[in-house]
Amino acid sequence: MGKTSDLTAVQKTIIDTLHKEGKTQKVIAKEAGCSQSSVSKHINRQAKGRKKCGRKKCTSSRDNRTLQRIVTTNPFKNVGEIHKEWTAAGVSASRTTTRRLMKDMGFRCRIPCVKPLLNKKQRKKRLAWAKDKKDWTDAEWSKVMFSDESKFCISFGNQGPRVWRKSGEAQNPHCMRSSVKFPPSVMVWGAMSSAGVGPLCFLRSRVNAAVYQEVLEHFMLPAADQLYGDADFTFQQDLAPAHSAKTTSTWFKDHGIPVLDWPANSPDLNPIENLWGIVKRRMQYARPNNAEELKTTIRAAWALITPEQCHRLIESMPRRITAVIEAKGAPTKY
């Protein structure tokens, strides 16, 4: 025979049911398989409507609504700033209470998603491009060689300010940071297709048209031979000044390489961006001491990318295009 706190949910249900039917406590105890005192205590507790034990809350519902409004108004504030503003509103609570209530409300401190800043004209062009490519098959996308540059730093620790948001709000514009195209600097150029990745090129100077054409000559063409052999392919590049220069366009015409038309400021449409993300995640615990060690680390992480990963990313193109159409040209989760 256990104590009242040891009663199972089934026993409590039996006790409540039989008590409503007017059965004696002795009969109820026999049917429920517990002591008569346990039945008595359970019935008395239900009759009194005993409340939960514990310390009384130090904040009211109104105080909690004030806290939620402060967090929602500016989700990029840290706990200290939020606590200071909340207490300035007349609430008496500790910083620990502030953090706990924010957690109870569903807020979590996360690194904000970074999306390109698109104007109305760019969104319109992205939407038109997506509608034009919505019927492309996986086979057609597999003939595209995607390329891009990415900046790598020795330290990946500086992620910028965090944001307080609830589950499912990662793509909420209110919880995101806008970004513009990164400034020219020493970067890494790479290319990929559904067959795998090509060789990396470490850029040592500002990328102008002449430098970019050298990259194409010494790295893109070998990558094409490696990934496509003698088969035809289409080259993808963004609209960086060096890429869209007249001399670069002439270079492609002279080499007979078609270039895929591409909407401005659209990294979410380029699957190689996901590869850069994979490489950087693999490097997050690496601590290179100089540029040469950093290059070695990048090469090692790039070499681990499999053709299967590339193939899956290329297969995501129809979904990316559908997402752009549904978002009416706005940035997507990709």
Side-chain angles (χ1 to χ4, degrees):
M1 299 294 180
K3 298 179 180 179
T4 310
S5 59
D6 295 332
L7 293 175
T8 65
V10 175
Q11 287 176 317
K12 291 178 181 178
T13 302
I14 294 173
I15 293 171
D16 293 337
T17 303
L18 296 179
H19 179 65
K20 290 179 181 178
E21 294 176 357
K23 303 293 183 180
T24 64
Q25 292 184 5
K26 186 176 181 180
V27 174
I28 295 173
K30 186 176 180 181
E31 291 292 330
C34 62
S35 67
Q36 188 173 335
S37 63
S38 295
V39 174
S40 177
K41 289 179 180 179
H42 176 73
I43 292 173
N44 291 334
R45 178 173 294 177
Q46 293 295 98
K48 292 179 181 178
R50 180 178 175 182
K51 297 181 180 180
K52 292 183 178 180
C53 300
R55 182 180 177 183
K56 185 179 178 181
K57 294 183 177 179
C58 64
T59 59
S60 64
S61 298
R62 183 177 182 180
D63 294 334
N64 295 346
R65 289 195 299 271
T66 301
L67 175 61
Q68 183 160 3
R69 185 172 62 251
I70 292 171
V71 179
T72 305
T73 302
N74 192 343
F76 289 92
K77 288 186 175 181
N78 58 43
V79 177
E81 293 170 332
I82 293 172
H83 172 69
K84 185 176 181 180
E85 184 174 345
W86 193 34
T87 53
V91 179
S92 178
S94 66
R95 179 167 172 162
T96 302
T97 298
T98 304
R99 179 183 288 275
R100 177 177 53 78
L101 285 174
M102 289 169 63
K103 186 176 181 181
D104 292 343
M105 291 174 186
F107 291 105
R108 299 294 183 271
C109 191
R110 299 287 186 261
I111 297 172
C113 296
V114 180
K115 296 294 181 180
L117 187 63
L118 296 172
N119 57 40
K120 187 175 181 180
K121 183 178 180 181
Q122 289 172 332
R123 289 196 297 270
K124 186 176 180 180
K125 287 186 176 181
R126 276 166 54 90
L127 180 59
W129 183 90
K131 289 180 177 179
D132 182 59
K133 301 292 188 296
K134 66 182 178 65
D135 294 325
W136 275 36
T137 63
D138 290 343
E140 289 176 293
W141 285 115
S142 66
K143 296 179 181 178
V144 178
M145 180 193 291
F146 291 89
S147 70
D148 190 35
E149 297 91 7
S150 184
K151 182 179 180 180
F152 284 80
C153 301
I154 289 180
S155 173
F156 293 94
N158 185 14
Q159 300 285 355
R162 288 181 171 246
V163 62
W164 290 98
R165 69 185 185 216
K166 296 182 179 180
S167 177
E169 291 185 341
Q171 301 300 320
N172 187 331
H174 187 64
C175 299
M176 295 165 61
R177 287 193 297 120
S178 296
S179 69
V180 295
K181 193 68 177 178
F182 43 72
S185 62
V186 175
M187 295 184 183
V188 183
W189 179 93
M192 66 164 289
S193 74
S194 61
V197 297
L200 291 176
C201 174
F202 292 93
L203 306 170
R204 297 183 178 181
S205 61
R206 184 184 179 93
V207 182
N208 55 30
V211 172
Y212 185 60
Q213 289 162 34
E214 288 292 322
V215 173
L216 296 174
E217 188 75 39
H218 299 292
F219 290 90
M220 190 275 282
L221 293 181
D225 291 337
Q226 172 187 329
L227 300 174
Y228 293 99
D230 295 330
D232 293 333
F233 71 97
T234 300
F235 185 69
Q236 179 278 336
Q237 59 181 2
D238 59 27
L239 300 183
H243 302 177
S244 56
K246 290 184 179 180
T247 54
T248 302
S249 300
T250 301
W251 187 95
F252 281 110
K253 290 179 181 179
D254 293 343
H255 288 78
I257 300 174
V259 178
L260 180 69
D261 61 301
W262 195 254
N265 233 359
S266 299
D268 54 331
L269 286 170
N270 195 343
I272 199 173
E273 293 287 350
N274 300 86
L275 287 190
W276 294 132
I278 291 171
V279 171
K280 290 178 180 179
R281 284 193 295 274
R282 285 176 176 168
M283 294 174 56
Q284 63 180 337
Y285 299 112
R287 293 294 180 266
N289 296 313
N290 51 55
E292 289 304 316
E293 289 184 9
L294 177 61
K295 291 179 182 179
T296 301
T297 307
I298 296 171
R299 290 192 187 98
W302 185 256
L304 293 176
I305 295 174
T306 64
E308 290 75 20
Q309 287 177 301
C310 296
H311 185 69
R312 286 195 298 269
L313 287 174
I314 297 299
E315 285 183 331
S316 71
M317 286 304 298
R319 297 193 297 273
R320 294 169 190 262
I321 289 172
T322 300
V324 170
I325 294 174
E326 292 176 350
K328 298 181 180 179
T332 63
K333 66 178 182 178
Y334 292 96

